[in-house]
Structures are given as structure tokens and as C-alpha cells.
Amino acid sequence: MKKYLLTGLLVWLPLAITTWVLLWLVGLLDAIFGGLLTGLSAVTSGSTGAVIEQLRHIPGLGVVLVFSALLVTGALVSNVAGRWWFAQWDKLFTHIPVFKSIYNSVKKVSDTLFSSNGNAFRKAMLVQYPRAGVWTIAFQTGTPSGEVASHLGPDLVSVYVPTTPNPTSGFFLMLPRSEVIELHMSVDEALTYVISMGSVAPSAAVGVSVK
């Protein structure tokens, strides 16, 4: 009976956790959208406010609207006129005190991570951390540049070492390229390996070499 229970748990647990995460995300977006509708209904007339309040009870509407807004925004910014308006938008936010520091930092990170021609988080690596002889999985985020590179010298690589089992926190390191082993496994396989604490090993690969 114990064997059957564990086997059933292994079948249903991934599905249950995935469903829970998706429902949490839908609920979060619906709550944000519901707050916007509450503010909108407060400044509109009675009949219009009643219609707006009815929209709050449609499940998943926030997800649909966020997806539609992202799609429309991407389509508009892809043309010349849209890029001009986006440049004005960007210029406005980069001149607001305090706000500009956060906005610029987040924009640089997002541009690096989601750029189609960027190299951030596109390579999994083996590095020695927290001491020599102890190995862990890391992800390349780029190479040192500017003042940092002038002090450290050339041929270094910037890596992010995630913690286990929560990869959203970790450590940023700059290591000599000669001390880094580049892996042929995909980033998804490497993340699975980290999150599972090494219990889910990626498929074996040949030709692994030190970079």
C-alpha cells in the first residue's frame, strides 16, 4: 500500500502544484484588475459603474486583458511611430527623481534577459563555489566590463549561482574563464537539476570542455 501511495503521489503532485501556481497567478492578475475596476467605477456614473462591477466577477478576465495589452503594446512598438512614442515614454520616466533609478535598473536587466541576441542565462556552467573542490551549477550572465574589467583584467566571465531549491535567490560571481566548465545541457535541464537538489539528473552529454 505504501508503494502504491507513493506512486500515486508522484503522478498527481506535479499536476497539483502546476495547477496551484497557475490558479495563484490568475487570482493575482484578477485581483489587480479588480482593484483598477473599483477605482474606475468610483469615478463613473451609476449605470456605468454597475456594468464595471459585473466585469469583476468574470474569472480569468485579468489574464486575458494583460495578455491582450502586452500583445497590442508589442505590435505598436514594432513600427516607427510606436518606437517614437516609446522613446518619449522612456525619456519621461528617466527624468523623475528616485523613480528613474529603479526604472533604469529594471529596464537594463529586462533588456539583457529578454533580448533575442543577448547571452544572459543561455549557458549552464560548472563552477567551484563556495570553495575550491566544491562544484555547483551556475548560469552565464555576461562578461565584466567598464571599471570592473579594468581592475580585474580580461578573460573573465560573469555568472549567477542559484540557491536550492529556490533559484530566484543566489550569488553573482566573476570568475576566470579557465576555471569555468561550460555544460552542453539546456538551461531548463540545469534549473531542474538545481531545484530538485540533484535528484533529477539531466541527460548525459559528451564533449564537455573547460572554457
Side-chain angles (χ1 to χ4, degrees), residues 23 26-27 29-31 33 54-64:
L23 289 176
V26 171
L29 292 177
D30 282 348
F33 179 68
Q54 291 179 357
L55 295 177
R56 296 185 58 182
H57 303 290
I58 302 177
L61 184 61
V63 178
V64 174

Side-chain angles (χ1 to χ4, degrees), residues 33 37-38 41 46-59 61:
F33 179 68
L37 288 181
T38 300
S41 62
S47 58
T48 306
V51 175
I52 293 176
E53 282 296 323
Q54 291 179 357
L55 295 177
R56 296 185 58 182
H57 303 290
I58 302 177
L61 184 61

Side-chain angles (χ1 to χ4, degrees), residues 17 60 81 84 121 129 135 137 142 145 149 158-159 163:
I17 294 178
W84 183 86
F121 290 90
Y129 182 82
W135 294 85
I137 299 290
S145 59
S158 302
V159 299
T163 55

Side-chain angles (χ1 to χ4, degrees), residues 170-211:
F171 305 93
F172 167 63
L173 307 174
M174 288 172 282
L175 303 172
R177 192 175 294 272
S178 59
E179 299 181 8
V180 172
I181 300 178
E182 184 177 319
L183 300 175
H184 292 271
M185 71 175 70
S186 66
V187 172
D188 289 341
E189 289 178 325
L191 276 175
T192 301
Y193 197 41
V194 171
I195 294 172
S196 67
M197 295 174 285
S199 61
V200 180
S203 58
V206 295
V208 176
S209 58
V210 177
K211 295 292 182 180

Side-chain angles (χ1 to χ4, degrees), residues 37-207:
L37 288 181
T38 300
L40 186 61
S41 62
V43 296
T44 55
S45 60
S47 58
T48 306
V51 175
I52 293 176
E53 282 296 323
Q54 291 179 357
L55 295 177
R56 296 185 58 182
H57 303 290
I58 302 177
L61 184 61
V63 178
V64 174
L65 291 178
V66 169
F67 177 80
S68 301
L70 292 176
L71 193 64
V72 172
T73 302
L76 291 175
V77 176
S78 297
N79 58 60
V80 177
R83 284 194 292 270
W84 183 86
W85 281 107
F86 176 73
Q88 307 310 309
W89 168 289
D90 193 59
K91 186 181 299 183
L92 171 65
F93 286 122
T94 53
H95 285 81
I96 301 177
V98 181
F99 184 88
K100 65 179 181 180
S101 301
I102 304 174
Y103 179 79
N104 287 335
S105 301
V106 174
K107 187 174 186 302
K108 289 179 181 178
V109 172
S110 61
D111 288 345
T112 301
L113 293 180
F114 299 110
S115 174
S116 59
N117 56 359
N119 295 318
F121 290 90
R122 283 172 171 76
K123 289 183 182 179
M125 298 178 164
L126 277 175
V127 300
Q128 298 188 76
Y129 182 82
R131 61 175 177 83
V134 177
W135 294 85
T136 188
I137 299 290
F139 301 95
Q140 181 177 353
T141 59
T143 55
S145 59
E147 182 182 357
V148 174
S150 66
H151 287 288
L152 297 180
D155 206 24
L156 274 83
V157 60
S158 302
V159 299
Y160 172 74
V161 180
T163 55
T164 302
N166 177 21
T168 59
S169 64
F171 305 93
F172 167 63
L173 307 174
M174 288 172 282
L175 303 172
R177 192 175 294 272
S178 59
E179 299 181 8
V180 172
I181 300 178
E182 184 177 319
L183 300 175
H184 292 271
M185 71 175 70
S186 66
V187 172
D188 289 341
E189 289 178 325
L191 276 175
T192 301
Y193 197 41
V194 171
I195 294 172
S196 67
M197 295 174 285
S199 61
V200 180
S203 58
V206 295

